[in-house]
Amino acid sequence: MSVREPLTVQVLLFARYAEEAGTDSLTLEVPSGSTVGGVLDLVRARLSRPHALPPRPLVALNRSQTDLLSEVRSGDELAILPPVAGG
Amino acid sequence: MSVREPLTVQVLLFARYAEEAGTDSLTLEVPSGSTVGGVLDLVRARLSRPHALPPRPLVALNRSQTDLLSEVRSGDELAILPPVAGG
Amino acid sequence: MSAAPRRVVETSLDAGELRALVTDSGHGAVVLFEGVVRDSHQGHSVTSLEYTAYLPMAEVTLEDIIHEAQRRWRVRVEVRHRIGRLTVGESSVLVVAAGAHREESFLACRHVIDEVKARVPIWKRERYADGREVWVDPTVPTLPGESG
Amino acid sequence: MSAAPRRVVETSLDAGELRALVTDSGHGAVVLFEGVVRDSHQGHSVTSLEYTAYLPMAEVTLEDIIHEAQRRWRVRVEVRHRIGRLTVGESSVLVVAAGAHREESFLACRHVIDEVKARVPIWKRERYADGREVWVDPTVPTLPGESG
């Protein structure tokens, strides 16, 4: 696979973020070498109210909490998590 | 009632103290003006092992905790309580 | 004792029933403490326990403890203590505290069980696997070989 | 998820069942925390809640929290969190901690519910008597008039 080939990332949205996006799941093609932060920018661009997704939301890559600088790989599951409110 | 008339006090014994006394209840006639401590001395004198009743056990007069100096009145219920162990 | 509940009972304890007595629709946090007969105590193998109480004073003391907790925290509290013979695994005491938030429910529940153990005139006789029976005295550790 | 229990469930919670999963004959102290849907939140009259979860991550996080508590204290711990729609008075979460002594059971139970509320990816949407629905965000107080 060439280094320039785009990656496919599954983005999961929950609660308020899913409402803002009008969906709880997006499949995005992103450039090779993209970071979590880069994927978030693409998600934000699709929202009618982009500011509804804060600059540094909680994010989990393949079900483990991560940060905006992590690089994504093809097939990754990136979850964008509003502040949790269980209990 | 004359001041010299003896009083009748109901003494209740529990747990280890009842075993030492061989009974859980004694009706004692004590001199008018007797204190809780005085009644305890009479109880202690009836035990085969007088030291089994410590010098200052927990005592309750009519179901309220009290001390050795309280004066008893006729009809009082004096309970001698080993260290509690509920729960 | 008027219409007050009997809190020292000879029958098995039911946590669900006790919880139902104190909870209302404003409560978001219920904390339940359950004391259970263990199979060992200070190295002895325990087969059963017998609890005995100075009943009228135990009831008054429990009522005092509950009222104190309900004055100190915004909670409703109930307690049951079983007496008589209990075997390993049976519940000896239940404390339930229900309030709007967990902080006060935890604090009240913990405080009440501590007070129950410290103040209520109830005594416990342990029966060991070797046949001996010993009155438990929390103020002195039981020594092996010491008996009733 | 292999044979691990599902701890995030859509059915009503049963404290007795959960207790039975963790207790053994060496346990003398069981502490149960129960979170219950309240009829009000920050001045709003609540009629029902809806919980939603990121299920696989919620299960992994609960397992982590339980193992952490069991390493820190000599206790056995279990947790269940309900999701879906709940009405006032229904239980949303149960935490049970069973150990030899009450100190460790209380500490573990309190720690686990705090961690559950802080870390498990579950969200709560409140439905108010006036018909509005609001996602609860514990990081900012909900303002009257603000909507989902």
Side-chain angles (χ1 to χ4, degrees):
Chain A
M1 165 188 318
S2 134
V3 76
R4 296 283 80 194
E5 203 171 331
L7 310 173
T8 301
V9 177
Q10 177 82 357
V11 176
L12 302 181
L13 299 150
F14 295 92
R16 183 192 295 266
Y17 298 164
E19 280 190 358
E20 292 287 344
T23 180
D24 57 10
S25 170
L26 294 168
T27 304
L28 295 183
E29 292 219 328
V30 301
S32 177
S34 289
T35 61
V36 167
V39 179
L40 287 184
D41 289 340
L42 293 177
V43 173
R44 204 174 275 110
R46 290 172 167 243
L47 302 181
S48 51
R49 309 196 308 165
H51 69 280
L53 189 55
R56 303 181 62 80
L58 279 175
V59 281
L61 201 55
N62 302 319
R63 301 164 189 184
S64 291
Q65 209 177 314
T66 188
D67 58 51
L68 302 194
L69 300 177
S70 299
E71 213 168 287
V72 295
R73 286 167 300 183
S74 202
D76 273 358
E77 178 180 289
L78 175 66
I80 313 179
L81 311 175
V84 303
Chain B
M1 163 187 321
S2 132
V3 77
R4 295 285 78 195
E5 203 172 329
L7 310 174
T8 301
V9 177
Q10 177 82 356
V11 177
L12 302 182
L13 299 149
F14 295 92
R16 184 193 295 266
Y17 298 163
E19 280 189 359
E20 292 287 343
T23 181
D24 56 9
S25 170
L26 295 166
T27 304
L28 296 183
E29 293 220 327
V30 301
S32 178
S34 288
T35 61
V36 168
V39 180
L40 286 184
D41 289 340
L42 293 177
V43 173
R44 204 174 275 109
R46 291 171 167 242
L47 302 181
S48 51
R49 308 194 310 163
H51 69 281
L53 190 55
R56 302 181 63 81
L58 279 175
V59 282
L61 202 54
N62 303 320
R63 303 164 189 183
S64 291
Q65 208 176 314
T66 188
D67 59 51
L68 302 193
L69 300 178
S70 299
E71 213 168 288
V72 296
R73 286 167 300 183
S74 202
D76 273 357
E77 177 180 287
L78 176 66
I80 314 180
L81 311 174
V84 303
Chain C
M1 297 291 308
S2 81
R6 270 208 52 192
R7 299 189 169 99
V8 180
V9 298
E10 298 184 19
T11 50
S12 63
L13 305 180
D14 187 318
E17 272 180 30
L18 199 64
R19 175 197 180 288
L21 289 179
V22 294
T23 50
D24 70 39
S25 62
H27 291 153
V30 181
V31 176
L32 173 79
F33 175 81
E34 182 186 354
V36 184
V37 179
R38 296 171 60 206
D39 61 6
S40 70
H41 182 230
Q42 298 180 328
H44 297 286
S45 173
V46 174
T47 58
S48 68
L49 292 185
E50 190 166 0
Y51 286 96
T52 181
Y54 179 21
L55 263 181
M57 188 176 170
E59 293 284 355
V60 168
T61 310
L62 284 172
E63 180 126 343
D64 288 346
I65 291 169
I66 289 168
H67 286 168
E68 289 162 18
Q70 291 181 161
R71 275 195 300 271
R72 183 159 167 190
W73 293 282
R74 285 171 49 94
V75 293
R76 289 258 292 141
V77 172
E78 259 304 342
V79 181
R80 293 292 180 274
H81 200 301
R82 188 171 165 192
I83 55 173
R85 187 161 294 278
L86 280 73
T87 56
V88 171
E90 289 191 294
S91 300
S92 56
V93 62
L94 294 179
V95 176
V96 64
H101 304 291
R102 69 189 184 286
E103 177 73 12
E104 54 205 4
S105 297
F106 269 105
L107 288 173
C109 186
R110 177 64 199 266
H111 176 79
V112 167
I113 184 60
D114 288 351
E115 293 297 299
V116 167
K117 286 176 175 263
R119 292 165 53 187
V120 180
I122 293 181
W123 300 274
K124 175 164 64 176
R125 190 176 157 93
E126 294 182 332
R127 178 180 288 178
Y128 300 139
D130 62 12
R132 287 186 308 124
E133 303 206 8
V134 175
W135 288 105
V136 174
D137 181 350
T139 64
V140 289
T142 308
L143 299 171
E146 187 189 3
S147 165
Chain D
M1 298 292 306
S2 80
R6 269 208 55 192
R7 298 187 169 101
V8 181
V9 298
E10 298 185 20
T11 50
S12 63
L13 304 181
D14 186 320
E17 273 179 30
L18 199 64
R19 175 197 180 287
L21 289 179
V22 293
T23 50
D24 70 40
S25 61
H27 291 152
V30 180
V31 176
L32 174 79
F33 174 82
E34 182 186 353
V36 184
V37 179
R38 296 172 61 206
D39 61 6
S40 69
H41 182 231
Q42 297 179 328
H44 297 286
S45 173
V46 174
T47 58
S48 68
L49 292 185
E50 189 167 1
Y51 285 96
T52 181
Y54 179 19
L55 263 181
M57 188 176 171
E59 293 285 354
V60 168
T61 309
L62 285 171
E63 180 126 342
D64 288 348
I65 292 169
I66 290 168
H67 286 168
E68 288 162 17
Q70 292 182 158
R71 276 195 299 271
R72 183 158 166 191
W73 295 282
R74 285 171 49 95
V75 292
R76 289 258 292 142
V77 172
E78 258 306 343
V79 181
R80 292 291 182 275
H81 200 301
R82 187 170 165 192
I83 55 173
R85 188 162 293 278
L86 280 72
T87 56
V88 171
E90 289 191 293
S91 301
S92 56
V93 62
L94 294 178
V95 176
V96 63
H101 304 292
R102 68 190 184 283
E103 176 74 13
E104 54 206 3
S105 297
F106 269 106
L107 289 173
C109 186
R110 177 65 199 265
H111 177 79
V112 167
I113 184 60
D114 288 351
E115 293 295 301
V116 166
K117 285 174 176 265
R119 291 165 54 186
V120 179
I122 292 180
W123 300 275
K124 176 164 63 175
R125 190 175 158 94
E126 293 182 335
R127 178 181 289 179
Y128 299 138
D130 62 12
R132 286 187 308 124
E133 302 205 10
V134 174
W135 289 105
V136 174
D137 181 349
T139 65
V140 289
T142 307
L143 298 173
E146 187 188 5
S147 165

